[in-house]
Amino acid sequence: MKHLLPLAAFAALFLAGSAQAGLLSDSEARQQINNLRQEVNGRLETFSNGQFELANQIEEMRAELARLRGQNEVLLNEIETLKARQLDFYRDLDNRMRQSETNAQSAAPAQTGGAGGYEAALGLLKEGRSAEALVELDAYINGNPDSGNLPEAHFWAGNAALQAKNVAAANKHFNTVLGRWPKSAVAPDAMLGLANGQLAINDRRTARQTLQSLIDRYPSSNAAKTAKQHLSSSASR
């Protein structure tokens, strides 16, 4: 009987130790669950932040694409405007050549180079030989200081120089028209040519000022209408 009592006590101690051991295992399990839960929540938060950032990037890309599309539309409109102006340019050139031929038939040229040289220069310009046309027009201008065609000759020389990418020469001829013959029929177009020359050297600020001056000085001219289109398209960029 005395031996059974210590055995019973040992069994009780063993069971108590086992219960304590089981309790510690549950606590560790709970800690692991909490740790796992925190890890999952952290990953979900990171994923959510990544999704939000991705959504922002997509929205920025859409906005940039819309802006590029808008710029593309503006460029296409400008190209169409330039094509129309180029067509008008050659139509006007053709009409002026015919008028010059009519005038030449009624009055023989009295100066060196005469109407024939002027017509030849316009013919070169019409063929797209702008550098050669500029040489011929300069020769005509220098050789015929009293010609009635001087305003037009300077205007076409300015256009020839502009097409030949000689902006300095183009500006000189256009400014000559505006300074000496401000009421000439080609004066508004000369001012438009001056603005085109300024745009060619990327002087946009001065070009806008020139276009606005053109509208103010020659409001009913076709050149003023073109100037308004230029200002409108540049303002929308």
Side-chain angles (χ1 to χ4, degrees):
M1 189 69 177
K2 291 181 180 180
H3 292 288
L4 292 176
L5 184 59
L7 184 60
F10 177 77
L13 290 174
F14 177 78
L15 291 173
S18 298
Q20 183 67 23
L23 181 60
L24 291 175
S25 296
D26 289 344
S27 178
E28 290 176 355
R30 290 192 191 97
Q31 185 62 40
Q32 289 180 358
I33 291 173
N34 288 333
N35 292 342
L36 182 60
R37 183 178 298 159
Q38 291 176 2
E39 183 179 354
V40 170
N41 289 337
R43 290 184 180 181
L44 286 175
E45 184 178 357
T46 302
F47 178 76
S48 297
N49 291 337
Q51 288 291 96
F52 181 74
E53 184 177 353
L54 180 60
N56 285 338
Q57 290 178 353
I58 292 174
E59 190 62 29
E60 290 176 0
M61 292 176 64
R62 286 176 178 172
E64 179 67 12
L65 181 60
R67 186 182 67 83
L68 291 174
R69 284 176 177 171
Q71 286 186 347
N72 188 51
E73 290 178 2
V74 171
L75 290 174
L76 289 175
N77 289 335
E78 288 187 354
I79 290 172
E80 291 302 319
T81 300
L82 288 173
K83 286 182 179 179
R85 284 180 53 211
Q86 192 75 358
L87 182 60
D88 291 339
F89 172 82
Y90 284 115
R91 285 175 177 171
D92 187 40
L93 177 58
D94 189 57
N95 291 334
R96 290 174 187 268
M97 287 184 63
R98 292 179 182 178
Q99 183 178 359
S100 178
E101 290 172 356
T102 302
N103 293 337
Q105 291 175 358
S106 60
Q111 304 286 340
T112 304
Y118 180 58
E119 292 168 15
L122 293 183
L124 290 171
L125 184 58
K126 188 176 180 180
E127 293 172 3
R129 298 160 65 183
S130 54
E132 297 174 58
L134 177 59
V135 172
E136 292 296 326
L137 284 166
D138 280 335
Y140 174 80
I141 291 168
N142 293 330
N144 298 273
D146 299 323
S147 171
N149 289 329
L150 280 184
E152 290 81 4
H154 277 285
F155 170 72
W156 291 118
N159 277 282
L162 197 57
Q163 291 190 25
K165 303 186 184 306
N166 189 342
V167 178
N171 290 345
K172 184 185 78 171
H173 284 291
F174 290 139
N175 280 319
T176 299
V177 175
L178 295 171
R180 294 178 61 183
W181 304 283
K183 295 183 179 180
S184 169
V186 296
D189 295 308
M191 186 169 277
L192 182 61
L194 188 62
N196 287 334
Q198 291 159 352
L199 286 172
I201 59 174
N202 206 30
D203 189 359
R204 297 185 178 277
R205 181 178 180 181
T206 305
R208 285 194 294 269
Q209 294 174 347
T210 302
L211 291 172
Q212 188 59 55
S213 297
L214 167 57
I215 295 170
D216 295 339
R217 289 177 63 176
Y218 308 102
S220 60
S221 65
N222 289 330
K225 295 178 182 178
T226 302
K228 289 178 183 177
Q229 293 176 351
H230 269 300
L231 290 176
S232 177
S233 63
S234 63
S236 63
R237 293 178 186 174

